[in-house]
Amino acid sequence: MSSSTRFHRATALGTCLLLSSVGAPSAQELAYQRATQPTLSFYGMPGLVDMPSGEMLPDAEVTALYSYYPKKQRFALGFQVTPWLYASYQYSVSEDILTEGVTRYDRAFGLAARLWTENAWRPSVIVGINDMAGTSIFASEYITATKTFQDRIKVTGGIGWGRLGSYGGFKNPLSYIDDRFETRPDTDFGEGGTFEAGQWFRGPAALFGGVEWQVNDQWTAILEYSSDAYENEVANAGYEHNTPLNFGLHFRPQPGLNIGAYALNGSTFGISASITANPKSPPFRNGRETAPPPISPRSGGTVDLAAWDLPSRQLDGQSEETIRAQVEAAFEADGIRLEGLEIDGDSARVGFTATRYNSQPQALGRASRILAAILPSEVETFVLQPLFYGQGTSSITIVRSDLEDLEAAPDRIWRSYVRAQIEDAGDLRFTDFVADAYPQQRWYARPYFAPALFDPDDPFRADFGVDIGGSYAPLPGLVLSGNYRQKLFGNRDESTRSSDSVLPHVRSDVVEYDKNGASFISHLTAEYFFRPGQNLYGRTTAGLLERMYGGVSAELLWKPIEGPLALGGELNYVVQRDFEGGFGFQDYDTVTGHVSAYYEFGGGYFGQIDAGKYLAGDYGTTLQFSRDFVNGVRLGAFATRTDVSYEDFGEGSFDKGIFLEVPFAWVSGVPSRRGFATAIRPIQRDGGARLAVRNRLYPTVKTYQDPEMRERWAGYWR
Amino acid sequence: MKLIKPAALSVLVLTLTGCDEYTDRLDRLAGLEESEGFSIPVPADGSRPVLMDAGLEKFGSSEGLVRISSRGPIEIWRAEEGDTLTLRQGIVLGTRAFTPDLFSVEAALPSQWMDATRPATAERIHRYVDGLEQVYIRAYSCVFSETSRDELPLGAETLQLNRTDEDCYNATQSFTNSYWMNGSGQMVLSRQWLGPELGYLLLKHYLP
């Protein structure tokens, strides 16, 4: 007979939920999701071959697809914006589609929204609209449902309108609700780029469907009944539509990569290739940097920190200069620039700039460990003050005993966060900046890559070259900096599209800039950053502000230490630079400025509204919405409406686009404060154009505050 | 994770061929019949501080570790390339810089289960940090096996080792940690699961 022994430990699972997300999928679970996740259609939407399916991708998935069949190519970018909403941006190149001998370049925007998730009895159901703002050659609307059987077979059925109602069409069932659904009106596309809601779900409808069989983790076979008659292609491009049946075969050599081959309508072969990635899953999770030094206790243990060039005992009784020199050297070795250190009784106040870590909590953690190893034992609190161009941001108070106590606590992330006090540092001053903290200087030369997209003569052009520049900061807050962009090779100057804009050519002369000044001074400025008061941040910039404008710019931001809302304002007087890229100017000058509201909705959703006067003198508003991932990846979209009419604006009707930011740390696993950012506009015109001044305050200030500090606090221990 | 060093591995294997019989036999005990290149790079002159050997099974390489922190029952060990491992009574409490890491572990300790009546059960809690820098938790139920005897011939002597297996499972995962202790209750060898990405870590513990 044996009795059972059960160990009990004091684990407060309930409280630790503060900072944890129980139920995140494990890697095994993620691998399974990736193996069974939906394939993409020719349009880059979740789908079969040409038809949409009733599925969504995993939340936050980002896709890029290229598809080809004779006389048609398509590039598509997709993003699973929320678990129930997928957005797609498509660029199609179609030969002869409307007129023989004429190649069309169409941009299309599509959305698919999930109405119901799949469960044991019910399929997943989606309503979608494709090409909702384009020239409507590819426009379709649909409701589609997909049910999975035995994890290997998926059956899809749906009803479509527009292109998807063109084969086997019947009277629109919605016309029983309202007669006007019976016919699909022709629309005057005007300048394009506006929502053609007048067409949606109108005209004949048709049924489509298909079956996917996942043979194994790598291969999927697809049979599809298509309701797209390819009317334009048959009429103008010699396309043969022999059967509504399409066949497809998908090969997934590794998760995230998909290659497809298709037989279309009994006459044509097509291929596609797509890659998918998820901002939630960086390739090197938790980073590749070496481990931080263990926390050096003041009593009750021993450490050997020689590997970090740190003393294994605190510097008790040493002079402040010796201590400061040690801290400075150890900070420097860990990518932290010490700017001020004052020890007052049992408290040490430390000002520093993180030059390596893009996670502020990680820089705080590293700094805390170094201080614990060096500072005399009587120092009990560390007041950490990360600086932004020499100006105070937040002040984080760490109790040294807490640090010592929590090193091995399993739930130390939230426990250390709740014990750290985070406050506004205000307009802080160090009576004694570290001797060589100022002046600071930095020089660099690094490669650049500057693409120019969507010119119908050549949809993809780019320049490559070297950025050479540097910065010099004589005093805290004051930065003199410049950058020269030396083109090495590229073809952006080959464009022949001159601007036909009726507005002042505030942006549309980009081709002239590319032709006449392929190498140029991209900025040469004096900037001053300051703290006008509690929760207030200020910036002034003067000089050559950006490629096309020089002048002066002033910004003020109100951002409390916590809370979702921030407000700001910016006022600029600018003169348009000449095309050559030196110090010359053109005749055009203007005053431009905006008031801005920034709002964190929670869960990583972010919105921004800017209202004011734009470069061409037009008044209006920009709306921006993005999904900001804690690790620094951002994806979003923006649109600007001003008092410029669609006709005056020209092609596209109003300014809009999508943007993407990816930190190098996400890609490489190596801590870095640099990253890659790009905005993709269907077309850049002169209406709704904003100045692109550097170092706008909000994106930087928020990294020193909650909620970002809280969300990244795990980094404190990394 | 710097324990993974494909380039360094071949060098290690070349320079340490014919190395120490003791570690080969430990490999055999751990079920690694072919030894797969595991070895303890012990400096002959004893110039370095105490060493332990750690290797991830799926990468087949291993590294010597140096103890860099000893605070009460908790020790932190560091590999030359900069990753660290936290241990308590030989139980892995966490890794740092393994990419990805096992952030922390709550588990029953040998002092608690060694002499406990069987069947002995305990919870085991692993915390990880995901790609969005948020903690997620995996909890397991674990059963400790009856102690079994393994013999480790070492020169003229034969070491008697007590082997205990910790069988852990939850709804989607299962693994078995194995621990070999000597007569005085010190851990000599262990094989501990760090998570689905890293798999099993084989530790040849420091013996004074």
Side-chain angles (χ1 to χ4, degrees):
Chain A
M1 192 186 109
S2 68
S3 68
S4 175
T5 308
R6 195 162 179 80
F7 302 105
H8 293 282
R9 276 159 294 98
T11 60
L13 265 180
T15 45
C16 72
L17 295 182
L18 178 69
L19 283 173
S20 63
S21 55
V22 175
S26 72
Q28 288 166 337
E29 290 151 4
L30 272 177
Y32 176 76
Q33 280 184 5
R34 286 182 167 275
T36 59
Q37 80 178 43
T39 53
L40 299 175
S41 74
F42 261 2
Y43 291 86
M45 308 284 278
L48 303 159
V49 178
D50 223 9
M51 298 294 110
S53 69
E55 297 178 288
M56 293 268 103
L57 269 58
D59 183 37
E61 202 87 346
V62 179
T63 67
L65 170 124
Y66 170 77
S67 60
Y68 169 85
Y69 57 88
K71 297 193 174 182
K72 177 115 31 155
Q73 296 180 74
R74 185 173 291 120
F75 303 88
L77 296 173
F79 179 41
Q80 189 71 44
V81 184
T82 72
W84 52 268
L85 182 69
Y86 182 86
S88 162
Y89 184 77
Q90 303 146 24
Y91 186 74
S92 302
V93 182
S94 319
E95 293 171 40
D96 307 337
I97 187 166
L98 292 183
T99 316
E100 206 176 328
V102 176
T103 300
R104 283 193 61 93
Y105 301 86
D106 288 283
R107 305 170 195 102
F109 179 66
L111 282 178
R114 185 173 60 200
L115 304 177
W116 292 288
T117 53
E118 182 175 349
N119 66 17
W121 309 107
R122 151 188 103 193
S124 170
V125 179
I126 275 173
V127 58
I129 301 175
N130 203 22
D131 197 8
M132 54 202 303
T135 43
S136 291
I137 291 174
F138 300 107
S140 63
E141 304 83 45
Y142 52 88
I143 297 170
T144 173
T146 297
K147 181 84 188 78
T148 307
F149 297 94
Q150 313 237 326
D151 291 337
R152 290 284 175 201
I153 293 169
K154 293 178 190 171
V155 178
T156 294
I159 179 169
W161 293 263
R163 244 189 117 107
L164 290 178
S166 60
Y167 184 84
F170 47 81
K171 186 179 172 183
N172 190 345
L174 295 173
S175 62
Y176 296 106
I177 302 168
D178 189 330
D179 285 344
R180 85 199 156 81
F181 282 106
E182 197 166 339
T183 53
R184 194 175 179 93
D186 285 331
T187 50
D188 170 15
F189 301 126
E191 300 291 348
T194 56
F195 293 117
E196 299 301 336
Q199 284 196 322
W200 295 350
F201 298 99
R202 294 177 70 172
L207 299 176
F208 60 86
V211 181
E212 287 169 81
W213 174 41
Q214 191 173 346
V215 183
N216 55 38
D217 285 351
Q218 291 192 318
W219 292 93
T220 305
I222 301 170
L223 168 64
E224 159 184 287
Y225 175 90
S226 162
S227 61
D228 185 343
Y230 279 71
E231 285 164 346
N232 286 324
E233 288 84 349
V234 169
N236 305 312
Y239 189 85
E240 290 178 46
H241 187 281
N242 300 330
T243 160
L245 295 179
N246 295 329
F247 299 91
L249 197 56
H250 279 223
F251 174 54
R252 200 190 300 263
Q254 62 183 65
L257 179 62
N258 198 326
I259 296 161
Y262 312 96
L264 303 168
N265 302 120
S267 67
T268 306
F269 285 100
I271 54 165
S272 76
S274 67
I275 51 175
T276 57
N278 197 310
K280 294 178 176 180
S281 305
F284 302 98
R285 184 156 64 86
N286 305 159
R288 293 197 294 159
E289 66 275 23
T290 55
I295 288 156
S296 182
R298 287 170 290 177
S299 62
T302 56
V303 292
D304 172 5
L305 304 184
W308 289 272
D309 283 329
L310 286 169
S312 296
R313 299 290 310 161
Q314 287 80 13
L315 302 187
D316 289 335
Q318 302 273 349
S319 74
E320 200 160 324
E321 287 69 49
T322 311
I323 291 165
R324 190 182 286 168
Q326 275 266 11
V327 171
E328 190 175 8
F331 271 24
E332 178 76 37
D334 211 359
I336 300 168
R337 188 172 61 231
L338 180 69
E339 302 198 14
L341 172 60
E342 290 172 2
I343 298 175
D344 182 15
D346 65 353
S347 169
R349 193 162 72 92
V350 188
F352 61 90
T353 306
T355 57
R356 178 181 302 159
Y357 298 104
N358 60 334
S359 155
Q360 285 298 331
Q362 188 172 9
L364 294 174
R366 298 272 172 157
S368 301
R369 289 165 185 269
I370 289 168
L371 296 172
I374 296 174
L375 295 192
S377 304
E378 64 266 23
V379 175
E380 175 59 13
T381 51
F382 303 153
V383 182
L384 305 178
Q385 301 186 317
L387 304 175
F388 169 53
Y389 290 115
Q391 299 302 305
T393 54
S394 299
S395 191
I396 300 95
T397 304
I398 308 280
V399 177
R400 192 173 187 172
S401 319
D402 288 344
L403 195 63
E404 293 164 342
D405 292 347
L406 293 174
E407 182 176 28
D411 48 0
R412 57 190 175 274
I413 296 174
W414 72 265
R415 288 177 68 183
S416 59
Y417 171 75
V418 296
R419 293 188 197 188
Q421 274 187 49
I422 303 176
E423 298 158 316
D424 186 357
D427 186 15
L428 67 87
R429 286 275 178 264
F430 283 88
T431 49
D432 200 10
F433 272 92
V434 171
D436 54 354
Y438 290 93
Q440 297 168 358
Q441 50 188 320
R442 193 171 70 87
W443 308 100
Y444 60 80
R446 57 181 176 237
Y448 77 86
F449 163 66
L453 304 176
F454 307 135
D455 182 334
D457 299 329
D458 186 352
F460 185 85
R461 288 201 181 94
D463 280 358
F464 301 84
V466 188
D467 274 337
I468 302 157
S471 64
Y472 178 77
L475 298 165
L478 181 62
V479 185
L480 311 173
S481 67
N483 185 76
Y484 185 75
R485 179 157 275 200
Q486 175 64 50
K487 175 185 167 184
L488 295 180
F489 51 92
N491 58 356
R492 284 179 59 138
D493 56 359
E494 289 171 10
S495 177
T496 54
R497 302 258 151 183
S498 55
S499 172
D500 60 354
S501 179
V502 299
L503 299 170
H505 290 193
V506 294
R507 287 290 180 207
S508 60
D509 279 340
V510 60
V511 170
E512 299 303 320
Y513 284 92
D514 285 339
K515 274 186 192 312
N516 297 301
S519 298
F520 55 91
I521 300 171
S522 56
H523 79 269
L524 186 65
T525 55
E527 294 166 291
Y528 184 64
F529 299 89
F530 56 103
R531 293 292 312 267
Q534 190 83 353
N535 299 329
L536 292 174
Y537 298 80
R539 169 188 62 79
T540 56
T541 310
L544 301 177
L545 302 174
E546 51 138 303
R547 174 67 180 102
M548 297 186 190
Y549 291 90
V552 290
S553 168
E555 183 186 0
L556 186 66
L557 175 73
W558 172 80
K559 178 148 182 18
I561 191 81
E562 55 190 331
L565 178 69
L567 301 171
E570 181 184 290
L571 191 62
N572 317 287
Y573 169 73
V574 294
V575 187
Q576 190 164 16
R577 293 174 63 189
D578 67 14
F579 301 139
E580 284 71 24
F583 295 95
F585 289 93
Q586 304 183 43
D587 288 338
Y588 186 77
D589 68 320
T590 187
V591 172
T592 170
H594 289 81
V595 291
S596 304
Y598 312 84
Y599 197 83
E600 304 245 13
F601 292 97
Y605 297 98
F606 171 76
Q608 180 178 339
I609 299 179
D610 306 291
K613 187 182 170 204
Y614 292 79
L615 281 171
D618 44 338
Y619 289 87
T621 306
T622 301
L623 269 177
Q624 179 185 316
F625 181 79
S626 65
R627 186 143 181 211
D628 297 2
F629 296 89
V630 174
N631 53 34
V633 176
R634 299 184 73 209
L635 286 113
F638 61 89
T640 301
R641 285 300 307 276
T642 67
D643 53 6
V644 170
S645 67
Y646 289 167
E647 290 70 31
D648 287 349
F649 183 91
E651 187 181 346
S653 301
F654 62 94
D655 190 57
K656 57 190 166 297
I658 55 178
F659 63 90
L660 167 70
E661 292 176 26
V662 183
F664 284 148
W666 189 94
V667 179
S668 65
V670 177
S672 161
R673 295 187 60 77
R674 297 183 50 77
F676 169 79
T678 190
I680 299 174
R681 286 179 163 86
I683 189 159
Q684 170 81 63
R685 305 284 296 185
D686 296 319
R690 273 193 84 178
L691 183 70
V693 66
R694 300 166 67 250
N695 290 322
R696 286 200 166 107
L697 293 168
Y698 183 84
T700 306
V701 170
K702 82 184 183 91
T703 64
Y704 302 95
Q705 300 189 338
D706 277 340
E708 180 158 331
M709 282 280 224
R710 182 177 70 241
E711 287 167 347
R712 303 197 80 166
W713 198 257
Y716 186 79
W717 295 99
R718 177 66 183 84
Chain B
M1 163 61 194
K2 285 70 182 188
L3 287 170
I4 314 160
K5 290 192 305 178
L9 169 64
S10 53
V11 179
L12 196 73
V13 171
L14 283 174
T15 53
L16 297 166
T17 41
C19 70
D20 181 303
E21 190 187 359
Y22 173 64
T23 61
D24 285 350
R25 292 184 191 284
L26 284 179
D27 288 338
R28 242 162 265 161
L29 276 186
L32 297 165
E33 297 297 338
E34 297 302 317
S35 121
E36 298 181 1
F38 283 93
S39 53
I40 301 182
V42 184
D45 60 358
S47 61
R48 302 260 305 277
V50 284
L51 279 167
M52 186 169 68
D53 183 75
L56 285 170
E57 266 183 28
K58 70 162 69 166
F59 300 108
S61 74
S62 71
E63 270 198 82
L65 303 180
V66 175
R67 189 165 68 195
I68 51 160
S69 170
S70 182
R71 295 179 60 196
I74 302 200
E75 298 176 338
I76 302 177
W77 294 71
R78 180 182 189 271
E80 194 57 39
E81 300 227 358
D83 17 357
T84 63
L85 194 61
T86 305
L87 299 177
R88 180 170 189 172
Q89 293 180 25
I91 302 293
V92 174
L93 292 191
T95 69
R96 201 63 68 238
F98 275 43
T99 319
D101 280 312
L102 171 53
F103 181 79
S104 74
V105 171
E106 290 175 73
L109 297 168
S111 59
Q112 294 173 293
W113 47 254
M114 216 146 39
D115 301 317
T117 319
R118 300 298 199 269
T121 63
E123 301 91 30
R124 176 177 258 274
I125 294 172
H126 289 186
R127 283 180 178 78
Y128 300 91
V129 176
D130 68 16
L132 293 181
E133 303 177 20
Q134 306 304 298
V135 174
Y136 66 96
I137 294 175
R138 291 286 170 268
Y140 307 92
S141 288
C142 302
V143 180
F144 289 91
S145 71
E146 299 278 1
T147 301
S148 61
R149 300 264 161 170
D150 272 333
E151 289 193 343
L152 182 67
L154 193 64
E157 293 178 69
T158 300
L159 277 181
Q160 299 287 338
L161 297 181
N162 296 320
R163 172 182 176 156
T164 305
D165 288 339
E166 180 189 16
D167 282 308
C168 302
Y169 63 93
N170 65 16
T172 57
Q173 294 170 325
S174 66
F175 58 91
T176 301
N177 291 342
S178 306
Y179 311 98
W180 286 263
M181 330 284 281
N182 66 12
S184 40
Q186 285 174 308
M187 203 173 283
V188 174
L189 176 69
S190 68
R191 183 173 179 264
Q192 303 186 47
W193 193 74
L194 302 181
E197 295 98 342
L198 294 169
Y200 285 97
L201 179 75
L202 191 67
L203 284 176
K204 293 158 198 168
H205 296 259
Y206 164 65
L207 281 180

